[in-house]
Amino acid sequence: MGREYANIIVDISHEKLDKTFQYRIPERLQDQIEPGMRVMIPFGAGNKLIQGYVMECGDTPEYDPGKLKEIESVAAGQVTAESTAIRLAVWMKEQYGSTTNQALKMVLPVKKTVKGIVKKTIVSNMDRARWQTALEGYERKHQEARIRLAKELMEQNRLPYELVTDKLGVSSAMLRSMEEKGQIRVESENQYRNPIGDIRREEPLALSSEQQAIVDDIMSHRRKGHGRKYLIQGITGSGKTLVYIHLIRQVIEMGQQAIVLIPEIALTYQTVLRFYKAFGDRVTVVNSRLSPGEKYDQFMRAKQGEVDVVIGPRSALFVPFERLGMIIMDEEHEGSYKSETMPKYHAREVAFELASYYNASVVLGSATPSLEANYLCEQGQMTKYRLTRRLTGGTLPEVHIADMRRELKEGNRSIFSRQLHEMMEERLRRKEQIILFLNRRGYSGFVSCRTCGEVMQCPHCDVSLSEHRNGTLVCHYCGYTIRKPETCPSCNSRYLMGFKAGTQQIEEALWREFPEGKTLRMDADTTRQKDSYEEILSAFANREADILIGTQMIVKGHDFPGVTLVGILAADLSLHVNDFRAGERTFQLLTQAAGRAGRGQLPGDVVIQTYQPEDMYIQYASRQDYDGFYREELEYRELMEYPPVAHMMCVQAFATEERRGLGLITKLTKELRIAAKQGGSLPTGERKPEPGGAGTVSVIGPAPAGVGKVKDVYRFVSYVKSPDRQVLVRLKDDLERVIRELPLTDREYVQFDFDPMNI
Ligand code: ADP
Ligand code: ZN
Ligand code: ZN
């Protein structure tokens, strides 16, 4: 390929500046410049030196070559980006709609010098026996933090300082006092390496025959160089992680590398430690808490081939591995795999694309697979395996449904049904633990009748209406608005209201009704501090409390063998979110929350409290019936033309003036409707309309977005649906052309979201 000219994107993040400029590559730089490089270029009339990214190199000028300016230099601290990263960025930009710059920033690590970071390690000065004596003393005095540290130091001689202060909750003052007593010492090292430090390696457990069959099957394809896709469906505790570890071991033996995606919330110390024990310092962790410098350091280690395995949330996909052999995606149904910033990509789709560049294998795992993943299996595009047994023993819990309408009718106004109340008393007497799960995921103010369970719904969209402060009920799909009725339209009851109880109210109710029970609460308020999430969970695991109250955060992570009762409060709350995935999410959450009971040797009970005991999602979850749920949900998606059967593109218009935002979305929606009539293409586009396309595209909207205004920026949305995703991608291209011609201000812009996760 010729290298005389380079197309360069200027490093300005602006929705409209989605454009490359051509520059001449001076001879002295010709064997250096590569796609992805950051370079300094003279720009604009004043020839001010600014930085840009090289997108592609070529030998044909697009303009009069005499007028082209020259690249000045390669930017200092330059990272040689992988060509696959650029290729992936170009693909993401096309598929999801973003500026080239936004896509590039997603895939390229930011060079930041890591300077002066001191790595501290806690080193034990005592042997096991002396720690045992110390431990007994701590236990008498209930010094929980010291107990945790002593237990860890009995297993590992050295522990990273941050791990001890953050995850074990040991204060630095406490560490100083232990150091003064000579129990430990703190070593400092000037170089930043592995964020977790030295961990003793351990041989992973041997596989059961069920697990072995899966590993053998996947690896037989891998050895033939086939990059296939797999889904492992198995409840928590059925041994998926051990399967991943064995797969990766063989991938490494083949000289290849692996990426393990885990949702941030499940990326706990316990999980990470298992990978460290298996792969030592050949594994590295990236998470959102790493500073840009640390992240860059991890990326460079990966690039230089110093690591074989990277674990992290969705952004771990962009670690520059040159010998990628496998991508594993645990808890693949999790919403956090979808990016909420541009480009709004889904990690599953990007994983498939990236894997195709390397012929790598992709392994998804979940107890409750997404409709998307299971649909791909049905379509023959993925192979599905099941793990059916819980390997640590324990039986599946017995699930009871408490009808809260009946509780009210029979005079019980407590948050707790009588059945749950009785079971809780019994558990407290027996010194067993209880989890109370408040299901308020995505809750956005729907209104329901406490007497008959009726929920106020939009007559046009099959979603619940949201209550607004001005006393109206609004549909965030189509804009339908009514005044909030005084009484229930179906039974005339006056108990028509929104749901008010939060985790705090539940905790207060517990103090009143169960004063003997010690409580821990976990929600957005109590976990705001770094790592307090894990502190609360480990405190509960150490039996420092009898009852753990929490939102969806508690359904992941630690195992609690002491828990024999799970109460699910307001099980139906997440059903009425304005979102076609509300039912799926409710099923997943309830199934996983229920799975938290009876992990240990004692049998467990689950009480699902609901105003709609007959609801299909609640019924399927109570029976832990994934296949039944999937069948019925897929029928609904087919009927409504929702993903995974069809695809959906959300067009979001942002503006500081409400009137202009509405004008913008109205204009775009009009264009979309014209295109829909012509089968998915605008006359302004460069293409001919697709034959036979009429009727395959439908447009909904415009309407104010679910959250209509954020930081004084108004948001409006429209939706387009089509069975063919590429039709939507082309519509997006057409709209981008329309948008470029519009006289928009700096603070007016449009974003695209394909198959949105949060509506
Ligand atoms: P998952 O990822 O599905 O939750 P894990 O791999 O974490 O399952 O396994 C759950 C528990 O069962 C862990 O404590 C693990 O050590 C244990 N386990 C998994 N596989 C085996 C096995 N083949 N033999 C013995 N114990 C196992
Ligand atoms: Zn009613
Ligand atoms: Zn509607």
Side-chain angles (χ1 to χ4, degrees):
M1 185 175 57
R3 322 193 113 269
E4 266 185 79
Y5 306 99
N7 288 331
I8 292 175
I9 173 102
V10 174
D11 189 27
I12 300 167
S13 180
H14 192 293
E15 309 300 324
K16 286 184 294 169
L17 245 176
D18 197 359
K19 197 173 169 181
T20 56
F21 298 88
Q22 203 171 41
Y23 280 77
R24 185 200 299 281
I25 307 176
E27 217 168 312
R28 69 194 146 85
L29 293 179
Q30 273 184 7
D31 48 3
Q32 275 185 54
I33 299 282
E34 271 176 45
M37 251 183 188
R38 285 191 305 144
V39 290
M40 302 305 291
I41 47 170
F43 191 76
N47 278 338
K48 195 174 154 230
L49 271 193
I50 62 167
Q51 75 172 6
Y53 289 106
V54 177
M55 280 304 288
E56 49 195 355
C57 303
D59 51 11
T60 38
E62 284 162 13
Y63 307 95
D64 177 0
K67 289 192 179 150
L68 288 182
K69 297 176 190 173
E70 270 193 0
I71 293 176
E72 168 77 20
S73 61
V74 172
Q78 147 67 32
V79 184
T80 316
E82 306 308 297
S83 56
T84 45
I86 299 290
R87 187 174 164 197
L88 194 60
V90 170
W91 180 84
M92 283 167 68
K93 167 189 143 74
E94 280 168 9
Q95 290 297 311
Y96 299 104
S98 73
T99 64
T100 306
N101 240 319
Q102 287 167 332
L104 284 172
K105 278 194 184 138
M106 203 69 100
V107 302
L108 295 174
V110 187
K111 166 81 182 166
K112 284 261 167 72
T113 13
V114 189
K115 57 167 183 237
I117 291 179
V118 181
K119 183 189 152 192
K120 291 202 271 185
T121 309
I122 308 238
V123 187
S124 164
N125 274 345
M126 310 200 295
D127 60 13
R128 248 190 110 85
R130 287 182 58 201
W131 276 119
Q132 186 57 45
T133 317
L135 183 63
E136 281 156 18
Y138 302 149
E139 279 172 345
R140 270 194 304 276
K141 291 186 227 150
H142 297 285
Q143 294 172 319
E144 304 296 343
R146 282 176 208 244
I147 293 172
R148 287 197 287 269
L149 178 62
K151 282 183 180 162
E152 288 297 329
L153 283 176
M154 285 166 78
E155 298 303 318
Q156 305 279 344
N157 219 357
R158 304 166 64 86
L159 292 169
Y161 192 90
E162 287 75 23
L163 185 91
V164 171
T165 50
D166 295 359
K167 307 252 161 164
L168 301 180
V170 184
S171 69
S172 40
M174 207 183 287
L175 287 172
R176 264 196 309 278
S177 103
M178 292 173 86
E179 197 177 9
E180 279 161 17
K181 287 193 198 123
Q183 296 172 305
I184 56 163
R185 64 179 187 278
V186 180
E187 283 181 2
S188 301
E189 192 184 317
N190 245 320
Q191 184 196 22
Y192 200 88
R193 285 266 96 161
N194 202 319
I196 257 198
D198 316 310
I199 297 287
R200 186 164 4 105
R201 288 178 77 154
E202 260 172 38
E203 188 65 13
L205 293 171
L207 295 168
S208 70
S209 56
E210 214 181 21
Q211 290 167 318
Q212 187 72 53
I214 298 174
V215 171
D216 289 348
D217 200 39
I218 295 176
M219 288 314 295
S220 74
H221 305 150
R222 178 85 245 124
R223 292 217 165 75
K224 291 189 202 123
H226 297 322
R228 293 203 200 164
K229 305 175 191 124
Y230 313 86
L231 169 65
I232 304 175
Q233 180 175 353
I235 52 168
T236 315
S238 62
K240 296 185 294 297
T241 308
L242 192 68
V243 168
Y244 305 152
I245 287 173
H246 279 263
L247 284 170
I248 295 168
R249 213 156 68 142
Q250 298 193 27
V251 166
I252 294 174
E253 278 166 15
M254 291 175 67
Q256 298 177 344
Q257 296 158 317
I259 295 172
V260 183
L261 302 182
I262 292 179
E264 184 100 36
I265 195 165
L267 196 60
T268 57
Y269 175 61
Q270 291 179 333
T271 309
V272 171
L273 196 61
R274 283 176 74 182
F275 283 89
Y276 273 105
K277 283 181 175 163
F279 304 112
D281 61 6
R282 302 300 298 174
V283 63
T284 189
V285 181
V286 293
N287 61 46
S288 60
R289 285 188 304 252
L290 292 185
S291 69
E294 289 168 317
K295 195 163 181 181
Y296 179 80
D297 194 42
Q298 296 310 319
F299 273 48
M300 286 305 101
R301 290 183 64 208
K303 196 178 157 175
Q304 283 148 16
E306 287 177 34
V307 292
D308 302 309
V309 189
V310 61
I311 308 175
R314 57 171 193 262
S315 61
L317 277 173
F318 307 123
V319 164
F321 273 154
E322 276 163 3
R323 291 171 280 113
L324 185 65
M326 187 172 283
I327 303 173
I328 288 165
M329 194 173 167
D330 195 31
E331 313 269 8
E332 65 79 31
H333 62 277
E334 270 294 307
S336 63
Y337 280 125
K338 180 78 189 279
S339 167
E340 294 299 327
T341 56
M342 300 275 275
K344 298 187 178 181
Y345 69 93
H346 196 293
R348 190 194 309 109
E349 294 162 351
V350 174
F352 289 170
E353 175 70 12
L354 179 64
S356 76
Y357 300 165
Y358 294 94
N359 266 331
S361 316
V362 183
V363 180
L364 311 181
S366 174
T368 50
S370 64
L371 266 271
E372 279 79 359
N374 211 54
Y375 188 66
L376 287 174
C377 291
E378 280 202 331
Q379 304 276 304
Q381 297 186 45
M382 276 205 293
T383 309
K384 179 160 162 176
Y385 306 105
R386 281 185 195 253
L387 285 173
T388 49
R389 287 185 308 128
R390 190 169 268 175
L391 290 152
T392 43
T395 46
L396 284 178
E398 195 178 333
V399 182
H400 318 266
I401 295 184
D403 182 347
M404 296 308 280
R405 294 172 307 194
R406 227 178 78 198
E407 296 293 317
L408 180 69
K409 204 183 289 166
E410 292 171 11
N412 176 18
R413 299 203 166 196
S414 157
I415 295 177
F416 311 110
S417 61
R418 288 160 295 179
Q419 188 175 24
L420 180 58
H421 199 282
E422 258 166 47
M423 286 185 165
M424 286 171 68
E425 277 181 338
E426 182 189 292
R427 276 3 190 247
L428 290 174
R429 248 196 325 273
R430 295 206 306 238
K431 299 268 175 261
E432 293 168 13
Q433 286 181 298
I434 303 164
I435 288 180
L436 293 180
F437 167 56
L438 176 63
N439 179 25
R440 44 179 304 140
R441 161 141 202 172
Y443 170 67
S444 66
F446 77 89
V447 166
S448 70
C449 171
R450 293 305 157 81
T451 307
C452 76
E454 172 94 357
V455 173
M456 299 300 295
Q457 290 212 322
C458 173
H460 311 294
C461 299
D462 199 21
V463 294
S464 62
L465 298 169
S466 296
E467 185 172 17
H468 281 214
R469 280 215 193 90
N470 61 9
T472 58
L473 302 177
V474 180
C475 170
H476 289 305
Y477 268 44
C478 72
Y480 174 84
T481 304
I482 51 162
R483 202 124 275 293
K484 183 184 162 196
E486 300 281 313
T487 56
C488 169
S490 86
C491 79
N492 272 324
S493 153
R494 283 179 303 109
Y495 291 100
L496 187 69
M497 53 184 106
F499 188 84
K500 297 240 165 53
T503 43
Q504 213 171 332
Q505 280 98 323
I506 292 171
E507 190 170 38
E508 282 158 19
L510 284 173
W511 293 339
R512 276 194 310 273
E513 298 186 32
F514 302 92
E516 72 280 23
K518 273 214 282 180
T519 60
L520 270 172
R521 178 161 66 92
M522 188 152 104
D523 54 28
D525 284 341
T526 56
T527 54
R528 201 157 292 148
Q529 257 176 316
K530 191 179 160 197
D531 285 318
S532 45
Y533 164 74
E534 197 141 346
E535 264 169 51
I536 296 170
L537 288 181
S538 47
F540 189 62
N542 289 328
R543 294 184 165 250
E544 289 166 37
D546 307 300
I547 309 171
L548 174 66
I549 313 144
T551 52
Q552 56 271 12
M553 294 175 184
I554 59 175
V555 303
K556 303 256 146 45
H558 289 228
D559 223 355
F560 307 115
V563 172
T564 60
L565 175 63
V566 171
I568 301 177
L569 310 180
D572 33 282
L573 209 50
S574 62
L575 278 177
H576 309 296
V577 176
N578 295 305
D579 193 324
F580 69 87
R581 294 185 210 269
E584 179 182 10
R585 249 179 231 135
T586 303
F587 174 81
Q588 289 164 346
L589 279 170
L590 297 190
T591 309
Q592 294 193 350
R596 283 238 158 255
R599 288 281 176 84
Q601 295 314 306
L602 299 164
D605 283 287
V606 177
V607 179
I608 298 181
Q609 296 197 161
T610 173
Y611 288 95
Q612 286 166 297
E614 65 289 334
D615 178 83
M616 73 170 247
Y617 299 105
I618 290 174
Q619 287 290 330
Y620 283 126
S622 73
R623 297 198 293 270
Q624 310 257 314
D625 178 6
Y626 178 84
D627 292 335
F629 149 77
Y630 174 79
R631 283 274 132 262
E632 202 165 335
E633 180 66 8
L634 195 71
E635 271 172 34
Y636 160 71
R637 303 280 177 99
E638 269 164 358
L639 189 73
M640 300 298 289
E641 297 183 303
Y642 284 138
V645 183
H647 294 276
M648 200 172 186
M649 173 173 76
C650 173
V651 182
Q652 301 167 304
F654 298 77
T656 41
E657 268 180 69
E658 192 170 11
R659 183 181 54 87
R660 288 192 46 100
L662 189 58
L664 176 56
I665 195 72
T666 306
K667 160 93 180 138
L668 297 178
T669 310
K670 214 176 270 169
E671 297 284 353
L672 287 171
R673 288 202 209 282
I674 295 171
K677 281 212 191 75
Q678 300 180 344
S681 160
L682 280 180
T684 52
E686 287 146 17
R687 294 166 287 102
K688 302 259 180 311
E690 304 297 308
T696 61
V697 178
S698 51
V699 181
I700 313 164
V707 183
K709 189 167 89 165
V710 174
K711 293 182 190 145
D712 289 325
V713 176
Y714 290 89
R715 307 162 162 208
F716 296 90
V717 291
S718 281
Y719 296 92
V720 200
K721 292 190 285 192
S722 167
D724 183 350
R725 178 168 173 148
Q726 293 315 309
V727 167
L728 299 180
V729 169
R730 289 197 302 266
L731 273 175
K732 176 217 41 148
D733 295 343
D734 290 341
L735 283 189
E736 282 176 339
R737 264 192 295 278
V738 171
I739 293 161
R740 269 199 289 275
E741 304 302 318
L742 294 175
L744 300 182
T745 68
D746 279 4
R747 311 229 8 229
E748 294 167 355
Y749 54 93
V750 176
Q751 292 190 345
F752 299 95
D753 191 351
F754 284 80
D755 293 346
M757 295 295 277
N758 289 302
I759 291 183

mmCIF file of all heavy atoms in Angstrom, residues 601-614:
data_model
loop_
_atom_site.group_PDB
_atom_site.id
_atom_site.type_symbol
_atom_site.label_atom_id
_atom_site.label_comp_id
_atom_site.label_asym_id
_atom_site.label_seq_id
_atom_site.Cartn_x
_atom_site.Cartn_y
_atom_site.Cartn_z
ATOM 1 N N GLN A 601 -25.861 -26.179 53.472
ATOM 2 C CA GLN A 601 -26.386 -27.516 53.715
ATOM 3 C C GLN A 601 -27.863 -27.478 54.072
ATOM 4 O O GLN A 601 -28.580 -28.441 53.873
ATOM 5 C CB GLN A 601 -25.570 -28.197 54.826
ATOM 6 C CG GLN A 601 -24.113 -28.454 54.429
ATOM 7 C CD GLN A 601 -23.978 -29.053 53.031
ATOM 8 O OE1 GLN A 601 -24.589 -30.068 52.719
ATOM 9 N NE2 GLN A 601 -23.179 -28.411 52.165
ATOM 10 N N LEU A 602 -28.344 -26.319 54.601
ATOM 11 C CA LEU A 602 -29.737 -26.235 55.041
ATOM 12 C C LEU A 602 -30.638 -25.883 53.869
ATOM 13 O O LEU A 602 -30.266 -25.103 53.007
ATOM 14 C CB LEU A 602 -29.858 -25.152 56.122
ATOM 15 C CG LEU A 602 -29.031 -25.399 57.375
ATOM 16 C CD1 LEU A 602 -28.904 -24.137 58.202
ATOM 17 C CD2 LEU A 602 -29.630 -26.534 58.186
ATOM 18 N N PRO A 603 -31.841 -26.460 53.830
ATOM 19 C CA PRO A 603 -32.766 -26.139 52.740
ATOM 20 C C PRO A 603 -33.264 -24.705 52.849
ATOM 21 O O PRO A 603 -33.278 -24.121 53.923
ATOM 22 C CB PRO A 603 -33.918 -27.131 52.945
ATOM 23 C CG PRO A 603 -33.843 -27.526 54.374
ATOM 24 C CD PRO A 603 -32.404 -27.410 54.792
ATOM 25 N N GLY A 604 -33.660 -24.140 51.723
ATOM 26 C CA GLY A 604 -34.057 -22.735 51.731
ATOM 27 C C GLY A 604 -35.490 -22.499 51.293
ATOM 28 O O GLY A 604 -36.114 -23.350 50.660
ATOM 29 N N ASP A 605 -36.002 -21.327 51.672
ATOM 30 C CA ASP A 605 -37.322 -20.899 51.228
ATOM 31 C C ASP A 605 -37.215 -19.530 50.579
ATOM 32 O O ASP A 605 -36.377 -18.713 50.956
ATOM 33 C CB ASP A 605 -38.278 -20.786 52.419
ATOM 34 C CG ASP A 605 -38.765 -22.134 52.889
ATOM 35 O OD1 ASP A 605 -39.596 -22.734 52.189
ATOM 36 O OD2 ASP A 605 -38.284 -22.609 53.953
ATOM 37 N N VAL A 606 -38.089 -19.293 49.631
ATOM 38 C CA VAL A 606 -38.157 -17.991 48.978
ATOM 39 C C VAL A 606 -39.616 -17.543 49.015
ATOM 40 O O VAL A 606 -40.510 -18.334 48.708
ATOM 41 C CB VAL A 606 -37.691 -18.085 47.506
ATOM 42 C CG1 VAL A 606 -37.823 -16.739 46.816
ATOM 43 C CG2 VAL A 606 -36.265 -18.591 47.433
ATOM 44 N N VAL A 607 -39.847 -16.294 49.441
ATOM 45 C CA VAL A 607 -41.207 -15.760 49.400
ATOM 46 C C VAL A 607 -41.226 -14.601 48.412
ATOM 47 O O VAL A 607 -40.496 -13.625 48.570
ATOM 48 C CB VAL A 607 -41.673 -15.271 50.788
ATOM 49 C CG1 VAL A 607 -43.085 -14.690 50.686
ATOM 50 C CG2 VAL A 607 -41.632 -16.409 51.797
ATOM 51 N N ILE A 608 -42.031 -14.744 47.373
ATOM 52 C CA ILE A 608 -42.176 -13.676 46.382
ATOM 53 C C ILE A 608 -43.445 -12.902 46.714
ATOM 54 O O ILE A 608 -44.543 -13.445 46.647
ATOM 55 C CB ILE A 608 -42.269 -14.262 44.955
ATOM 56 C CG1 ILE A 608 -40.974 -15.015 44.604
ATOM 57 C CG2 ILE A 608 -42.526 -13.164 43.931
ATOM 58 C CD1 ILE A 608 -40.961 -15.603 43.194
ATOM 59 N N GLN A 609 -43.303 -11.639 47.095
ATOM 60 C CA GLN A 609 -44.477 -10.824 47.414
ATOM 61 C C GLN A 609 -44.878 -10.026 46.188
ATOM 62 O O GLN A 609 -44.059 -9.326 45.603
ATOM 63 C CB GLN A 609 -44.150 -9.867 48.558
ATOM 64 C CG GLN A 609 -43.826 -10.570 49.856
ATOM 65 C CD GLN A 609 -43.901 -9.652 51.056
ATOM 66 O OE1 GLN A 609 -44.017 -10.123 52.169
ATOM 67 N NE2 GLN A 609 -43.834 -8.340 50.840
ATOM 68 N N THR A 610 -46.146 -10.110 45.820
ATOM 69 C CA THR A 610 -46.562 -9.453 44.591
ATOM 70 C C THR A 610 -48.033 -9.065 44.620
ATOM 71 O O THR A 610 -48.831 -9.682 45.330
ATOM 72 C CB THR A 610 -46.293 -10.365 43.372
ATOM 73 O OG1 THR A 610 -46.852 -9.773 42.208
ATOM 74 C CG2 THR A 610 -46.889 -11.747 43.564
ATOM 75 N N TYR A 611 -48.371 -8.038 43.859
ATOM 76 C CA TYR A 611 -49.772 -7.679 43.660
ATOM 77 C C TYR A 611 -50.337 -8.410 42.454
ATOM 78 O O TYR A 611 -51.498 -8.273 42.133
ATOM 79 C CB TYR A 611 -49.901 -6.158 43.453
ATOM 80 C CG TYR A 611 -49.656 -5.375 44.722
ATOM 81 C CD1 TYR A 611 -48.402 -4.864 45.008
ATOM 82 C CD2 TYR A 611 -50.687 -5.180 45.636
ATOM 83 C CE1 TYR A 611 -48.169 -4.162 46.182
ATOM 84 C CE2 TYR A 611 -50.468 -4.487 46.811
ATOM 85 C CZ TYR A 611 -49.212 -3.980 47.084
ATOM 86 O OH TYR A 611 -48.990 -3.297 48.235
ATOM 87 N N GLN A 612 -49.475 -9.100 41.717
ATOM 88 C CA GLN A 612 -49.927 -9.803 40.515
ATOM 89 C C GLN A 612 -49.427 -11.238 40.497
ATOM 90 O O GLN A 612 -48.586 -11.592 39.679
ATOM 91 C CB GLN A 612 -49.404 -9.072 39.279
ATOM 92 C CG GLN A 612 -50.156 -7.789 39.025
ATOM 93 C CD GLN A 612 -49.421 -6.949 38.028
ATOM 94 O OE1 GLN A 612 -48.299 -6.511 38.261
ATOM 95 N NE2 GLN A 612 -50.058 -6.708 36.901
ATOM 96 N N PRO A 613 -49.939 -12.060 41.417
ATOM 97 C CA PRO A 613 -49.419 -13.431 41.515
ATOM 98 C C PRO A 613 -49.624 -14.228 40.231
ATOM 99 O O PRO A 613 -48.910 -15.193 39.994
ATOM 100 C CB PRO A 613 -50.208 -14.039 42.675
ATOM 101 C CG PRO A 613 -51.354 -13.134 42.924
ATOM 102 C CD PRO A 613 -50.982 -11.784 42.414
ATOM 103 N N GLU A 614 -50.587 -13.809 39.398
ATOM 104 C CA GLU A 614 -50.867 -14.600 38.191
ATOM 105 C C GLU A 614 -49.934 -14.219 37.046
ATOM 106 O O GLU A 614 -49.916 -14.869 36.006
ATOM 107 C CB GLU A 614 -52.338 -14.438 37.766
ATOM 108 C CG GLU A 614 -52.756 -13.048 37.320
ATOM 109 C CD GLU A 614 -52.832 -12.035 38.483
ATOM 110 O OE1 GLU A 614 -53.045 -12.415 39.658
ATOM 111 O OE2 GLU A 614 -52.661 -10.846 38.194
#
